[in-house]
Amino acid sequence: MQLLFLGTGAGMPSKQRNTSALILKLLEERGTVWLFDCGEATQHQILHTTIKPRKIEKIFITHMHGDHIFGLPGLLGSRSFQGGDEPLEIYGPVGIKDYVTMTLKISRTHLTYPIVFHELVEGKVFEDRLMTVETRLLDHVIPSYGFRISQHPLPPKLQINKALLLGVPKGPLLAALKNGQDVELSDGTWVRSSDVTDAEERGFIVTILGDSRFCQAAIELAYDADVLVHEATFDGSAIKMAGEYGHSTVFEAAETARRANAHTLIMNHISARFLPEDEKLLLKQMREIHTCGFIARDFMEFEWIQHEKKIRKKQGSHL
Amino acid sequence: MQLLFLGTGAGMPSKQRNTSALILKLLEERGTVWLFDCGEATQHQILHTTIKPRKIEKIFITHMHGDHIFGLPGLLGSRSFQGGDEPLEIYGPVGIKDYVTMTLKISRTHLTYPIVFHELVEGKVFEDRLMTVETRLLDHVIPSYGFRISQHPLPPKLQINKALLLGVPKGPLLAALKNGQDVELSDGTWVRSSDVTDAEERGFIVTILGDSRFCQAAIELAYDADVLVHEATFDGSAIKMAGEYGHSTVFEAAETARRANAHTLIMNHISARFLPEDEKLLLKQMREIHTCGFIARDFMEFEWIQHEKKIRKKQGSHL
Ligand SMILES: [Zn+2]
Ligand SMILES: [Zn+2]
């Protein structure tokens, strides 16, 4: 799993930061990628990466502000043009279906694949063998959602050599042991699954929030997360203004991470007011409250290291 | 007057060419700029120019395909955010008003300025003291319009020294002469306006077409134009395919310029199939039919030289 930030700005594009979009790469886990928000020119940002639009399996939209959705019609059209034929699932607030349907219709964009729409209500919005996605309503000026993506525990690994030493023959008995069943050998001895398998390993928890004021729902969504992606539209001093505009300060992002016991905080939705040299100040403010964190930049990438159970920034990944 | 190409590609953005957008700068003439088509990320392209979104007075949309309109909602929002309060006029096919109104509404984009919509029918769509814009329906797979922008003749210039020599006193009589009136001096002699003014000079004619097959309406719109902006989605050999997809070849663009007696042909809407090294071939094909022309690239700029009555490419203006 990797997190690739495509747009880390707030409100409008600037030369430094595009409007919101974030790729959750799940290529090793499920051969696909998921996209969170799709500001204008997200498909242009993708042109500068190795991402193939047809690999996008799901798109999650946090809220219906333009800086989070105006890239959607173009990306959907290009996914089609580039030979995408797998169904696409779009999760977003009420209105997302009308928006997509109408913009495609009026522009006569005919897709080669079906879209399945899921208009969000709080709770579990997706679950399969590998992962679960839950959503909660945050506190913005319009309905804005956050997502908690939990990878299920990894299947226990079979210690093959140990099983063979105990006399288990190659074949179906090994598979049964791997799947947690104890098995009887032809000489009548029993081999216990737990004796020849490693304990199952926990997977990752990633929390990705839409624009929001500081709120309890954010803390709950981020509980024990390995990584929390949280907006930080304002620096620590602007708490009143942040509240008025429905946004958060760096302090509030850090406080959410602290209260949630989240490990790594990545702050995005950074106002164009802040220049690259201001990032030091923002990070200093963050560290007063929460130690481990980053200010996201466009094309910055983070990867999950399974055996360390930690997210790590990829070197040289950003502009 | 200058023509600044912001997006010269066809269908989808590529690293070389963005989707359609073209700025007609009228800063000397009327202190504003006009925009023709607004593909996704047009506002991003504008960030790399000196154009101010609030200076955009009119937007003309040739047709409703996504590569010509998906940048509109974002640009309108940013024009507002950056303090635009002058009314904006949008000219486009039926549906343009619904598209803009709905995308702004669903994204809760509140503009600080009013928009006046003009849904197109063939004929004169705008005229004031300085210029006229006429439109014709071209031949594409959906309704697609072309525009002929004619600058009115420049007001005759008064030869002040000559008038003073003839005894005209400074003041209102000079203004009358400039405006074409003959005047009587206090000694009873008459001075004729035509004796103390240069002849009026013609202005420019710019024709900008939407996607189209070769058609008579294009030729008529381009009649005697100083510059014709014409799509060239296909090279000369692909005439059948061009027709099927509702587009033109380089040969057809050149033939339109030739039949219309247009001076400079600028071809845009260039497919991503063509690499920069293919431009030579395309220009060679063009020259078999029409001598003066260019393949537009993003950020290429052309300027009207009034005393030469010619358009000229600005050096070093493109990528
Ligand atoms: Zn936002
Ligand atoms: Zn087009």
Side-chain angles (χ1 to χ4, degrees), chain B residues 9-12 19-20 37 62-63 65-68 140 210-212 231 233 247 269:
Chain B
M12 277 195 323
T19 48
S20 295
D37 284 336
T62 61
H63 66 295
H65 276 153
D67 57 326
H68 299 253
H140 191 40
D211 294 3
S212 184
E231 71 130 294
T233 314
H247 289 293
H269 208 266

Side-chain angles (χ1 to χ4, degrees), chain A residues 18 40-41 43-44 64 102 107, chain B residues 18 40-41 43-44 64 107:
Chain A
N18 197 27
E40 184 179 352
Q43 65 164 324
H44 297 65
M64 295 295 290
M102 184 286 227
S107 62
Chain B
N18 197 28
E40 183 178 353
Q43 65 164 324
H44 298 66
M64 296 295 290
S107 62

Side-chain angles (χ1 to χ4, degrees), chain B residues 51-195:
Chain B
I51 307 278
K52 311 237 174 317
R54 64 186 155 75
K55 290 276 181 191
I56 299 174
E57 177 197 8
K58 294 177 185 295
I59 300 178
F60 297 86
I61 298 295
T62 61
H63 66 295
M64 296 295 290
H65 276 153
D67 57 326
H68 299 253
I69 62 169
F70 283 162
L72 206 40
L75 177 66
L76 299 181
S78 296
R79 186 182 187 272
S80 183
F81 201 80
Q82 292 169 355
D85 49 13
E86 295 288 309
L88 177 73
E89 311 233 0
I90 299 183
Y91 302 76
V94 170
I96 190 67
K97 185 177 174 181
D98 279 356
Y99 169 69
V100 170
T101 308
M102 184 285 227
T103 49
L104 295 182
K105 185 172 172 215
I106 213 161
S107 62
R108 277 81 153 190
T109 308
H110 306 289
L111 301 182
T112 52
Y113 55 85
I115 300 181
V116 182
F117 290 96
H118 305 269
E119 294 199 327
L120 294 170
V121 285
E122 290 191 290
K124 198 181 287 180
V125 296
F126 171 71
E127 177 161 40
D128 72 358
R129 219 166 34 85
L130 300 173
M131 37 226 316
T132 299
V133 181
E134 292 154 281
T135 189
R136 290 289 300 276
L137 198 51
L138 307 172
D139 180 14
H140 191 40
V141 293
I142 63 172
S144 178
Y145 289 87
F147 300 97
R148 177 185 176 93
I149 304 103
S150 318
Q151 187 186 26
H152 297 176
L154 302 184
K157 262 192 219 134
L158 184 67
Q159 295 169 298
I160 291 191
N161 287 339
K162 199 167 172 191
L164 296 176
L165 272 177
L166 290 174
V168 183
K170 288 189 179 176
L173 291 186
L174 280 179
L177 285 165
K178 183 175 184 331
N179 289 328
Q181 293 169 38
D182 303 336
V183 301
E184 187 180 7
L185 303 183
S186 54
D187 65 1
T189 59
W190 281 84
V191 178
R192 286 199 297 183
S193 174
S194 60
D195 288 341

Side-chain angles (χ1 to χ4, degrees), chain A residues 9-11 20 63 65 67-68 140 211 233 247 269:
Chain A
S20 294
H63 65 298
H65 275 154
D67 57 326
H68 299 254
H140 192 40
D211 293 4
T233 313
H247 290 292
H269 209 266

Side-chain angles (χ1 to χ4, degrees), chain A residues 124-287:
Chain A
K124 197 181 289 183
V125 295
F126 171 70
E127 178 161 41
D128 72 357
R129 221 166 32 85
L130 299 173
M131 36 226 318
T132 299
V133 181
E134 292 155 279
T135 188
R136 291 288 300 274
L137 199 51
L138 307 172
D139 180 13
H140 192 40
V141 293
I142 63 171
S144 178
Y145 289 87
F147 301 96
R148 177 185 176 94
I149 304 104
S150 318
Q151 185 186 27
H152 297 177
L154 301 183
K157 263 193 217 130
L158 183 67
Q159 295 170 297
I160 293 192
N161 286 340
K162 198 167 172 189
L164 295 176
L165 272 177
L166 290 174
V168 183
K170 287 190 181 176
L173 291 188
L174 281 180
L177 285 165
K178 182 175 185 328
N179 289 330
Q181 293 167 36
D182 303 336
V183 301
E184 186 179 9
L185 304 184
S186 55
D187 65 0
T189 60
W190 280 84
V191 178
R192 286 198 297 181
S193 173
S194 60
D195 287 342
V196 295
T197 50
D198 290 330
E200 67 176 20
E201 271 191 77
R202 77 171 183 84
F204 56 75
I205 299 170
V206 175
T207 298
I208 299 173
L209 305 183
D211 293 4
S212 183
R213 297 184 185 94
F214 180 78
C215 67
Q216 186 59 27
I219 297 167
E220 290 170 17
L221 267 183
Y223 187 69
D224 268 352
D226 296 295
V227 52
L228 164 62
V229 179
H230 196 300
E231 70 131 293
T233 313
F234 292 91
D235 78 284
S237 69
I239 192 160
K240 191 153 163 274
M241 197 145 53
E244 276 166 21
Y245 287 96
H247 290 292
S248 295
T249 66
V250 170
F251 282 148
E252 291 169 311
E255 182 65 18
T256 303
R258 191 186 69 80
R259 291 202 198 174
N261 191 39
H263 190 276
T264 304
L265 169 65
I266 308 177
M267 290 175 284
N268 67 353
H269 209 266
I270 306 298
S271 162
R273 273 192 314 279
F274 298 120
L275 302 172
E277 55 265 33
D278 297 324
E279 291 185 11
K280 269 197 185 141
L281 170 71
L282 301 179
L283 286 169
K284 190 167 161 286
Q285 292 182 343
M286 176 197 80
R287 283 196 207 97

Side-chain angles (χ1 to χ4, degrees), chain B residues 252-277:
Chain B
E252 291 169 311
E255 182 64 18
T256 303
R258 191 185 69 80
R259 292 203 198 174
N261 191 38
H263 190 277
T264 304
L265 169 65
I266 309 177
M267 290 175 283
N268 66 352
H269 208 266
I270 307 297
S271 161
R273 273 192 313 281
F274 298 120
L275 303 173
E277 55 264 34

